[in-house]
Amino acid sequence: MLGSTHGTLTTDSRRTRAIACGERSGPAVHGRPARTGDLDVSGRPLHADVPDLDRFFRPQSVAVIGASDAEGRPNTGITRQLADWAERVGARLYPVHPSRPAVFGMPCCPSVAGLPEQVDLAVVLVGDPLPVVEELAEAKARFAVVFASGFAETGPEGEAAQRRLTAAVGRSGMRLLGPNTNLNAFERFRADLQGPAIALITQSGHQGRPVFALQELGIRLSHWAPTGNEADLESADFLSYFAEQPEVGAIACYLEGLKDGRSFLLAADRAARRGVPVVAVKVGRTETGARTAASHTGKLTGADAVVDAALRQYGVIRVDGLDELQDTATLLARARPPRADGVVVYSISGGTGAHVADLATEAGLRLPVLSEAKQAELHQWIPEYLSVANPVDNGGHPVGDQRGRKIIDAILDDPEVGVLVCPISGPFPPLSDRLVRDLVEAAEQTDKLVCVVWGSPVGTEPAYREVLLGSSRVATFRTVGNCLTAVRAYLGHHRFTTGYRSPFDEAPRTPSPPTARPRR
């Protein structure tokens, strides 16, 4: 993982105010107008609309329908978390319950009709959400979230119920997240981290947990969209929105299926045009995975070879595991564009260097042979009998003087080198501590990528916890495989975006003459 930088994000720390129920106030405003853009010859849009989700993630008013403070009730914990979140974002909170005068000391509204204003966000905690969603649509709420399950993931009857839910919001202009979603959007995001952030989209909330936990290693997370069954808002909507947010450096996705393939590709196209990397785990490589996805969120995964080719065409980087999703998204979010595509392996062990060089070459990375002049320069500080052609074997990083730092600087000064990979198989103080310090100091003074693989299974060593993770300029990994996967994605992404021409720009917009006559 790339290490942290520390700072403060501005947040509205006003106390959440509960206003007694009364008259609604304020006109209905449902975000910026949709951008239709050009249409192709069949009348389909050629650009993704960007939904205005600002008031979803930063609402000014929140209603909780089915709020509770009764001991032992599931809704009680949810209400408490939503109240804490509303306070953090500076929103007014309105508990709604037909028989409770107050919840957690906040006055309760007996029904949606009693809300004192048009709310930005309504969270529905009742078992049968359809009547409540219809009431919210009538009240012109901007967004609603439905947690309840029992919809498309359960079969034909549930699919019909989900269609009714979709129709209810479609008639009103209100947007809906869910059903079958959770509280992930309302988690506590650390406000003391700076730098480009990862925005997260998951169709299974639990699968986003490893990425969310990156904050504990100093990696900034800005948003989390748990889309669930996607009766209305879908992954493509959040992808388009996140691609437009200036703080987002990369978008990480866990996908089980695509609700609308063209909508998703239009959103991916928007991200590609803006150079925002999208990294995705996409389920459905096997029959078992596809079947399980259908029973989980009601998603049809699609033919995997077709999905894979489509994602690749629009620059979406597909990875297999959540660990790869963490490491690749982190690197792409934080690293500067490469100056060259050459990779050098720098190792204190000839065996380690040979092994990593093999794996890097098999991964498709280019390991240039360093020039004779560069090798002669390195041999000023490294014994002549050690190979420095690439990989560079130092025989043991110097600890008593500045030779180690000079070796690293000389490698990074080579114009063919864009990435330095240094595998450290395990802690070996003071050698490993000095090596780590020299790498971090060199990384702070270069615009090239420095990667360290900290191979210790313990991960509690000061060199790792305090020095490597304390640096925002060194990409730190726990496995060689994840390091090489991320480096390949990093170089590939920048090659892709540099030469990207959207296929939608070439789409025909008017019928050709031979088709006009028979149509008439």
Side-chain angles (χ1 to χ4, degrees):
M1 314 298 173
L2 286 176
S4 66
T5 55
H6 298 281
T8 302
L9 293 179
T10 301
T11 57
D12 189 344
S13 58
R14 293 175 298 166
R15 291 287 300 176
T16 303
R17 296 184 295 116
I19 299 177
C21 301
E23 297 296 323
R24 296 190 194 92
S25 63
V29 179
H30 286 282
R32 67 174 76 96
R35 293 173 55 187
T36 55
D38 293 334
L39 303 178
D40 69 9
V41 68
S42 66
R44 297 181 299 176
L46 293 170
H47 300 283
D49 287 340
V50 182
D52 186 352
L53 297 169
D54 293 348
R55 288 294 181 89
F56 176 87
F57 288 106
R58 303 284 299 185
Q60 294 181 357
S61 53
V62 179
V64 182
I65 293 83
S68 173
D69 58 2
E71 194 68 32
R73 295 278 298 172
N75 284 8
T76 299
I78 297 174
T79 304
R80 183 182 289 110
Q81 180 171 339
L82 289 167
D84 290 344
W85 173 76
E87 180 178 336
R88 291 196 299 275
V89 301
R92 300 176 291 276
L93 184 73
Y94 303 109
V96 177
H97 196 284
S99 60
R100 290 182 176 273
V103 169
F104 291 120
M106 297 176 285
C108 251
C109 301
S111 67
V112 169
L115 288 169
E117 63 175 305
Q118 173 197 333
V119 295
D120 290 330
L121 176 65
V123 182
V124 182
L125 305 182
V126 301
D128 182 11
L130 181 58
V132 176
V133 168
E134 291 173 335
E135 291 175 17
L136 289 168
E138 179 68 23
K140 300 189 183 306
R142 292 176 174 87
F143 296 96
V145 180
V146 171
F147 291 159
S149 57
F151 289 89
E153 79 277 10
T154 62
E157 187 174 336
E159 290 174 0
Q162 185 163 310
R163 285 194 295 271
R164 292 192 292 272
L165 204 60
T166 302
V169 297
R171 291 190 296 267
S172 68
M174 182 177 74
R175 304 305 306 268
L176 182 140
L177 179 70
N180 195 22
T181 186
N182 53 40
L183 283 162
N184 294 150
F186 315 116
E187 296 280 358
R188 181 184 291 273
F189 293 85
R190 283 183 58 175
D192 61 333
L193 303 176
Q194 291 184 325
I198 295 173
L200 181 58
I201 302 170
T202 59
Q203 292 174 346
S204 170
H206 193 68
Q207 290 293 84
R209 283 284 157 201
V211 177
F212 184 73
L214 287 172
Q215 294 177 110
E216 299 310 309
L217 299 180
I219 309 303
R220 183 182 171 200
L221 270 287
S222 59
H223 306 80
W224 189 348
T227 60
N229 284 17
E230 301 186 353
D232 177 35
L233 285 169
E234 58 183 294
S235 301
D237 294 313
F238 290 99
L239 182 56
S240 292
Y241 175 79
F242 292 153
E244 296 286 336
Q245 305 310 304
E247 72 271 28
V248 172
I251 303 169
C253 308
Y254 172 82
L255 305 172
E256 295 184 349
L258 305 181
K259 177 182 175 182
D260 183 311
R262 184 179 177 89
S263 294
F264 188 88
L265 295 182
L266 283 169
D269 175 65
R270 175 173 291 278
R273 291 173 188 266
R274 295 182 62 82
V276 179
V278 180
V279 187
V281 170
K282 169 64 178 66
V283 176
R285 289 192 186 278
T286 67
E287 181 181 346
T288 302
R291 184 175 64 249
T292 305
S295 65
H296 178 223
T297 55
K299 296 291 190 303
L300 298 178
T301 59
D304 190 69
V306 175
V307 171
D308 194 63
L311 296 180
R312 189 165 56 250
Q313 183 181 10
Y314 291 90
V316 177
I317 299 157
R318 189 175 182 182
V319 295
D320 292 326
L322 297 178
D323 56 333
E324 294 176 341
L325 183 65
Q326 295 174 78
D327 285 347
T328 303
T330 297
L331 177 60
L332 285 165
R334 305 293 292 274
R336 300 173 185 177
R339 296 286 301 276
D341 67 352
V343 177
V344 166
V345 177
Y346 177 61
S347 174
I348 64 174
S349 161
T352 302
H355 186 197
V356 174
D358 263 355
L359 296 174
T361 303
E362 288 181 353
L365 300 176
R366 186 176 74 87
L367 273 66
V369 175
L370 299 180
S371 68
E372 290 186 5
K374 179 59 66 176
Q375 293 185 50
E377 181 183 1
L378 292 172
H379 276 309
Q380 295 178 79
W381 312 293
I382 297 174
E384 288 285 344
Y385 61 83
L386 295 174
S387 173
V388 295
N390 189 15
V392 175
D393 177 9
N394 63 25
H397 190 77
V399 297
D401 51 43
Q402 293 298 314
R403 285 176 298 157
R405 176 63 191 277
K406 290 178 179 179
I407 294 168
I408 296 169
D409 288 342
I411 295 171
L412 292 172
D413 284 343
D414 192 305
E416 276 208 83
V417 176
V419 182
L420 173 64
V421 175
C422 182
I424 304 175
S425 300
F428 187 56
L431 186 153
S432 56
D433 293 359
R434 179 60 183 264
L435 172 56
V436 164
R437 192 180 76 190
D438 286 346
L439 287 165
V440 169
E441 290 177 356
E444 297 291 341
Q445 298 182 18
T446 182
D447 55 2
K448 296 183 179 182
L449 177 61
V450 176
C451 300
V452 172
V453 181
W454 187 258
S456 167
V458 180
T460 58
E461 300 85 359
Y464 172 68
R465 299 294 302 184
E466 298 171 15
V467 183
L468 285 174
L469 296 185
S471 169
S472 64
R473 296 288 297 125
V474 174
T476 303
F477 302 87
R478 299 305 303 276
T479 69
V480 172
N482 279 15
C483 174
L484 300 180
T485 295
V487 169
R488 179 178 60 195
Y490 160 74
L491 295 172
H493 166 74
H494 288 285
R495 278 195 301 267
F496 175 84
T497 54
T498 298
Y500 182 67
R501 292 187 60 184
S502 171
F504 292 110
D505 288 345
E506 309 299 324
R509 288 162 170 77
T510 57
S512 61
T515 65
R517 287 192 294 272
R519 181 173 289 120
R520 284 196 298 269

